[in-house]
Amino acid sequence: MTFETMPFARAMNAGLRRAMEENPRVMLMGEDIGKLGGVFRVTEHLQRDFGENRVLDTPLAEAGIVGSAIGLAMAGFRPVVEIQFDGFVFPAFDQITTQLAKLTNRHEGTISMPVVIRIPYGGHIGAIEHHQESPEAYFAHTPGLRVVSPSTPNDAYWMIQDAIASDDPVIFMEPKSRYWQKGEVDTDHRAAPLHASRVIRGGSDITLVGHGAMVSVLLQAASIAEGEGISCEVIDVRSLSPIDYDPIIDSVRSTGRMVWAQEAPGATSVGGEIASTVAERAFYSLEAPVMRVSGYDVPFPPAKLESFYLPDADRVLEAVDRALAF
Amino acid sequence: MTFETMPFARAMNAGLRRAMEENPRVMLMGEDIGKLGGVFRVTEHLQRDFGENRVLDTPLAEAGIVGSAIGLAMAGFRPVVEIQFDGFVFPAFDQITTQLAKLTNRHEGTISMPVVIRIPYGGHIGAIEHHQESPEAYFAHTPGLRVVSPSTPNDAYWMIQDAIASDDPVIFMEPKSRYWQKGEVDTDHRAAPLHASRVIRGGSDITLVGHGAMVSVLLQAASIAEGEGISCEVIDVRSLSPIDYDPIIDSVRSTGRMVWAQEAPGATSVGGEIASTVAERAFYSLEAPVMRVSGYDVPFPPAKLESFYLPDADRVLEAVDRALAF
Amino acid sequence: MRILEPDGSFAPTPEAEPLREIVEALDESALEQMYRDMAVTRAFDQQATMLQRQGQLALWPPSLGQEAAQVGSARAARSQDTIFPSYREHAVARVRGVDPVSILALMRSATHGGWDPTDPKNGNTRLYTLVLGTQVPHATGFAMGLNFDGRTGSGDAEKDEAVVVYYGDGAASEGDVHEAMVFAASYSTPELFFLQNNQWAISVPVATQAAGPLANRSAGYGIPTLRIDGNDVLASYAASRMYLDEARAGGGPRAIEAVTYRMGAHTTSDDPTKYRTKAEEESWARRDPIARMRAFLENRGAGSEFFADVDQEGEALAADVRTRIAEWPDPDPASMFAHVYSEPHALMEQQAAWLAEYEASFEGGAA
Amino acid sequence: MRILEPDGSFAPTPEAEPLREIVEALDESALEQMYRDMAVTRAFDQQATMLQRQGQLALWPPSLGQEAAQVGSARAARSQDTIFPSYREHAVARVRGVDPVSILALMRSATHGGWDPTDPKNGNTRLYTLVLGTQVPHATGFAMGLNFDGRTGSGDAEKDEAVVVYYGDGAASEGDVHEAMVFAASYSTPELFFLQNNQWAISVPVATQAAGPLANRSAGYGIPTLRIDGNDVLASYAASRMYLDEARAGGGPRAIEAVTYRMGAHTTSDDPTKYRTKAEEESWARRDPIARMRAFLENRGAGSEFFADVDQEGEALAADVRTRIAEWPDPDPASMFAHVYSEPHALMEQQAAWLAEYEASFEGGAA
Ligand SMILES: Cc1ncc(C[n+]2csc(CCOP(=O)(O)OP(=O)(O)O)c2C)c(N)n1
Ligand SMILES: Cc1ncc(C[n+]2csc(CCOP(=O)(O)OP(=O)(O)O)c2C)c(N)n1
Ligand SMILES: [Mg+2]
Ligand SMILES: [Mg+2]
């Protein structure tokens, strides 16, 4: 077995590199991903090692990037697109929703659309407007897309490879605040399947569920709660479309309570989807409504306020308390 | 009192006309809305009567339309934009989400953004791809926008005026299949407030909730159910952002059961938001989970299949049965 | 740039001189084929309009009047080329081998696609695209791929591949078209941007989209551009041939603005009397592309048997698609779930199963 | 188009001849003011970079090297004009009256705005915009409004309003810029598109965005365009003055490509050594816009007291913003909810109340 400790961004880089080595049709596209190696250095050295035809510093036009990636997929390539920051995916939104997501269906299966769109997302980095958002709900609502988000270096390494191997378009949400977080990567054994949710800490009183950067917040909440005698089960949902409900439902059936946490604004979001489906499937087991913790329904605030905006362990614990008191 | 019977589209037209008469800063923009009067004739004769500076046949570029509407709002106008069909709003998505929705906030309140974006939406008209979609979830998730949808000519007449009078951006979703449906318009008395949900049929066994074209489906289901001895309360939610929950919660507290119906795909949609919030606020009253009826999580199918895709009274009743059997 | 005068006389304008050779290489049968393509497509198109009136189609966007622009460019493309149409390129699709009834099936809304662009019989014709302009960056990306794969630029015109993308004067305003040109210029793609300026985007005249010639815009990106008489099939052919061969030889992208006219309504849902004059329509009727080519061929001695044969082919095609579309089966409801994804997807399986069971519950009267 | 040589000598190129009059109308104090604007902004800019290093700012995008393009155009704009900046127009903002500390507050991420564009003291300077290109259609729409309201085109240059919109060579690739030009040409807006081609979009050279001069693009829409030496403040002033006055007189939109150089990093997060050479940087250092204007003024006899005074003003501004930004208060958490909507909104009230109560629960130690 080969274990290596590396930061999340390096694990992404290693996963991309391996995918490019294993399949010559894999290519990367985006702004500043070549010479610079991406503003987060996720693609560092890949242009140097694979050349300018496989790692493209594109013109600055997101619809053009995704639109030409679609054309490249039609020509048999497997493009992996980097969107520089979450807030800059919207110029490409038409190409993503009306084209990328629908082309396989429109072609009645005669072509597939193996395009990955990588989006560094979320807060905690103290940046200016448009650089700290969590737009996953827009994609999770769109039929034809798959949406996933790794929370650890090992998942980053494997999930990016699985996303690239998928014949469907995958929106790959990278919790950018975790890029520098180190973890062990097992380069020999695949992680859980791309769309599997995973129980990452066992517990009996309440189930905590989230994805991306929220996962470590949930773990932190769980260990604080433990000190107070509350046993939390923690689930990393990993995939937001499709959502792997079984482990969540199983857990809620045994704990009877659940808290969901996300950075995105709450209204009409993934949280509502999960809470209402859990309520439907575990109706008689629930001793309290599923509590949702989220960003407020406001634009992501100036970074000086992000600690008030972003759910932290305290906010999660407040919801745990409400659920337990119900 | 002045009651007039007219089709929905005519009521829209009359509402727009009145808003333009009452406020010279109101102007209309869109593709084919001038000479042609819009592909659904909602703006018929308005260019003739108000001139080319107040009713603009714009170039064919949705980001340009919404972007320039924003600039016009900054110059003190109140632009009302028509998007020709639901499926063509996405090229404007960046301007809507990163600009229109956020500009008041970015300006810390020193400017407002009184822009209305009218979107004829939904199915039932047998059209080709991109012409029958229900994109409301994308907007309901976006802080800074208001999202409403009238279901009757009277609401159409008043809600468009209220939307135009609002200093905030309003996404105005027009159930296009209802354009030809006639109803009474009371031109003297304002309808319920723009963001109020409304009980439109009393009942005691179960609460049916929806918006736009679904409302008449719910009423139809309610009257079939009545024949089977089931008493349905029907609520037209009218506003999807913000959502006026009180009448819904009151109703569910008394019926103990609820069905939500929408045309949009179910995943991460308004239905999940409403179901989870109702589950939270009426936890002890619910005798069954909130049942959600929706379009499937697929692209809107070829029209030859739309009757299978779109929720109809039977699908609503199937959910009613499930709720009652719980 | 023009080669045939509206009356059919052969009179290349000065800018057409470099193209003379290309035109002169066309033999009688090639010239007749272009006429045939145009006339048969028109018969099909008129049949389709009738089928829409009869309720067989949801909608029909006629190609009426644009046959020369379409046939010239489609015949100029080589068999290895790939075509990205918009939604009105019926003549192009037919020339490339697409069964015209597939276009009817699309406009019947019995399918969102209609044909398989990867099946060689369809001549590398990609699907129609309804969201204006979105196909243009696809074409550019595809052409970038040709470069990366060395499928172009070798100097062998019989093998080197290129791409033609069609779009309209209205679509030209969309940001996607601009971004596609930025990419095309940047990656020096083997690609022809073929703009049919048919004067109208539904009810909006081209003057609203552009203050000057649209051809100037593509030129602004450094993309060599020709503005041609789009109702002259020989001009369309020659310009497209030259530019496509330049592009495939490694010369980078090229653009053509074909000035033509949408002689009919935008679609069967449209009423052009609301926004344009009879006089305008009549002036363009005098420049009908099919009449022009017919006069040219007649001047060269084509006989009435030829024209009768073409008419008959048109009628036969019309009759054939009429029959076949009337019998067109509705799609299976389960097909809604079949191709949303290429790989298995939990929701698709659940929802397909639910629908099947639900539908079954109605059989035998139980609800 | 150039008026001052890099060494500061006055030597209008032939294309600059029509602008001679505009330049010659500038008196000594106006010329000195331009130098002062540039030099003081640079002092501010360098202070800001330091403040970022000290942790006072989240990020800083320097205007270093682009002062001439910015000051010339900003001084050319008349007081009634409205400015739509991108995010690097520090010299423009300062010239128009915006308190520079507001820009620091924005880059501190203590606010998403920074100033009130409707307050006359800010010289009709709209807010910075971070999503590339999105401000360009706003400018066009605003200019359309000037037309509709008759606030322009009367022939009185002292009253007629116009709009200047700034964007970069990278942003020029975005579809929004194209659509804005389509609208501008269509509605004949009183608007100047001012492109600062500083050669780089972060690490991507302008050659990736455009095969030829970017100026050709705007020209392709029928928008008269000048390509100028962007490091020559007089060229920027004269071209902008002429074009803005033509636009305000009813001539329709105009465009300028100012060829300049981003002498520093893209932002304080960037490391240009990864993608460009020292030699390139040095060659542009020799074309520094401030040195050029200084040499010009020195040739005309400006004395060392003047330059000392300017330096002192720069130092004073730097000291002032350093003090004020260090004392900058964090925003009140409740402000998150205050301006999302202009009108009351149920969710805002609920969530603000919830947060207040939640925060209060920590006071006094209770959790
Ligand atoms: C993005 C988008 N916006 C609007 C429409 C609706 N629409 C369909 S065709 C059309 C006019 C297109 O004009 P043009 O590009 O000139 O093509 P033509 O119809 O003349 O062939 C419009 C507005 C659309 N299909 N896509
Ligand atoms: C839509 C969008 N995409 C990407 C970015 C990230 N980004 C910020 S600045 C920049 C480069 C901009 O280059 P240019 O327009 O030339 O302006 P300059 O920075 O040189 O002044 C990029 C890619 C963004 N802000 N907006
Ligand atoms: Mg057209
Ligand atoms: Mg630049």
Side-chain angles (χ1 to χ4, degrees), chain A residues 188-208:
Chain A
D188 283 341
H189 299 91
R190 299 200 94 69
L194 187 59
H195 295 295
S197 56
R198 242 164 36 91
V199 177
I200 53 170
R201 175 184 170 125
S204 54
D205 295 330
I206 189 162
T207 306
L208 312 184

Side-chain angles (χ1 to χ4, degrees), chain A residues 206-222:
Chain A
I206 189 162
T207 306
L208 312 184
V209 191
H211 61 88
M214 274 301 109
V215 172
S216 55
V217 171
L218 296 178
L219 287 171
Q220 197 193 340

Side-chain angles (χ1 to χ4, degrees), chain D residues 96-313:
Chain D
R96 298 294 295 185
V98 172
D99 181 347
V101 79
S102 318
I103 310 176
L104 300 184
L106 176 67
M107 298 300 169
R108 185 182 173 88
S109 207
T111 170
H112 287 331
W115 59 92
D116 174 4
T118 68
D119 183 334
K121 75 169 187 241
N122 294 315
N124 305 325
T125 311
R126 310 301 308 192
L127 295 184
Y128 276 11
T129 296
L130 300 177
V131 184
L132 292 165
T134 53
Q135 77 279 15
V136 191
H138 304 170
T140 299
F142 192 93
M144 288 163 66
L146 297 181
N147 276 344
F148 297 151
D149 277 341
R151 285 159 61 183
T152 188
S154 78
D156 179 351
E158 301 298 326
K159 278 202 183 145
D160 286 335
E161 296 183 40
V163 168
V164 191
V165 59
Y166 291 90
Y167 63 108
D169 48 294
S173 292
E174 293 282 2
D176 276 22
V177 173
H178 156 87
E179 298 191 14
M181 290 194 182
V182 169
F183 274 66
S186 196
Y187 293 98
S188 194
T189 51
E191 179 178 15
L192 172 60
F193 291 89
F194 196 95
L195 164 60
Q196 288 171 81
N197 173 0
N198 65 3
Q199 312 301 322
W200 293 93
I202 310 186
S203 71
V204 181
V206 64
T208 298
Q209 318 290 343
L214 281 161
N216 293 353
R217 285 209 205 140
S218 38
Y221 298 83
I223 300 177
T225 303
L226 274 172
R227 191 162 200 256
I228 67 167
D229 182 335
N231 284 4
D232 172 356
V233 68
L234 296 184
S236 175
Y237 172 81
S240 304
R241 188 73 172 190
M242 177 178 78
Y243 265 5
L244 269 170
D245 282 349
E246 287 176 10
R248 85 177 73 253
R254 296 288 186 272
I256 288 174
E257 178 191 357
V259 180
T260 178
Y261 193 69
R262 195 195 76 207
M263 289 175 70
H266 170 68
T267 65
T268 42
S269 310
D270 181 38
D271 174 9
T273 64
K274 294 225 169 205
Y275 52 81
R276 68 187 192 188
T277 62
K278 264 249 122 25
E280 177 185 306
E281 291 182 357
E282 280 161 11
S283 95
W284 280 94
R286 289 192 290 277
R287 285 177 268 177
D288 185 315
I290 297 185
R292 185 184 307 198
M293 189 61 176
R294 184 181 179 120
F296 172 68
L297 292 177
E298 281 172 348
N299 291 345
R300 288 169 70 101
S304 56
E305 328 76 69
F306 167 70
F307 295 107
D309 186 59
V310 169
D311 289 348
Q312 212 211 307
E313 182 177 338

Side-chain angles (χ1 to χ4, degrees), chain C residues 168-170 196 198-201:
Chain C
D169 48 293
Q196 287 171 82
N198 66 3
Q199 312 302 321
W200 292 93

Side-chain angles (χ1 to χ4, degrees), chain A residues 263-285:
Chain A
E263 294 185 25
T268 304
S269 68
V270 174
E273 177 61 28
I274 292 195
S276 52
T277 301
V278 168
E280 194 174 324
R281 292 188 49 191
F283 188 70
Y284 289 120
S285 311

